[in-house]
């Protein structure tokens, strides 16, 4: 059986989308990898919703998969039948501190 990781939060800054699991693993995708997100406005990038499998941006019709994101970061294997990284609970940003772009840039070594 695969050790399933649950997403606890997702956020964006001007460079990337980030996801964090309940046990603290973090992965990200630079917007430069995805033309629709690269060319999207800040408001369009912040307009996303989460599903069991990943993130969807309705204004730009883009979807990213959590398992793929964490696999590309070297944090999980791709599973043949059931995603090893998923989102299970309602997403509520009012109950938690989401890092600002400056905080994330500092953590990821950006200037």
């Amino acid at each position: 059986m695969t050790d399933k990781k649950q997403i606890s939060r997702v956020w964006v800054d001007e460079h990337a989308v980030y996801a964090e699991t309940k046990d603290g693993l973090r992965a990200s995708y630079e917007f430069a990898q995805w033309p629709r997100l690269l060319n999207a406005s800040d408001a369009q990038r912040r307009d996303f919703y989460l599903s069991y499998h990943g993130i969807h941006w309705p204004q730009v019709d883009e979807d990213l998969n959590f398992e793929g994101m964490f696999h590309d970061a070297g944090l999980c294997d791709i599973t043949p039948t059931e995603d090893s990284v998923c989102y299970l609970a309602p997403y509520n940003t009012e109950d938690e501190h989401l890092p600002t772009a400056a905080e994330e840039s500092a953590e990821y070594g950006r200037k």
Side-chain angles (χ1 to χ4, degrees):
M1 173 135 190
T2 303
D3 180 26
K4 189 176 292 264
K5 304 292 185 190
Q6 292 183 26
I7 296 296
S8 63
R9 64 184 182 141
V10 172
W11 67 98
V12 299
D13 67 14
E14 63 273 10
H15 303 286
V17 57
Y18 306 87
E20 182 174 22
T21 63
K22 288 185 177 183
D23 60 352
L25 294 177
R26 285 188 180 178
S28 65
Y29 273 142
E30 296 286 326
F31 292 133
Q33 294 178 257
W34 314 99
R36 290 179 188 164
L37 292 171
L38 178 63
N39 296 314
S41 69
D42 185 57
Q44 289 172 318
R45 290 176 181 163
R46 293 182 188 284
D47 179 26
F48 63 85
Y49 64 84
L50 306 180
S51 69
Y52 178 84
H53 300 286
I55 312 161
H56 177 68
W57 285 267
Q59 292 187 45
V60 295
D61 193 29
E62 187 66 77
D63 298 281
L64 298 180
N65 178 274
F66 292 125
E67 188 175 68
M69 179 186 283
F70 280 78
H71 173 75
D72 287 355
L75 299 171
C76 77
D77 292 325
I78 297 293
T79 54
T81 58
E82 182 67 26
D83 285 355
S84 60
V85 182
C86 63
Y87 173 73
L88 296 174
Y91 187 69
N92 183 353
T93 60
E94 295 174 12
D95 294 337
E96 61 182 298
H97 168 73
L98 293 179
T100 65
E103 290 169 335
E104 284 304 319
S105 293
E107 182 169 341
Y108 281 90
R110 291 194 184 99
K111 300 217 187 278

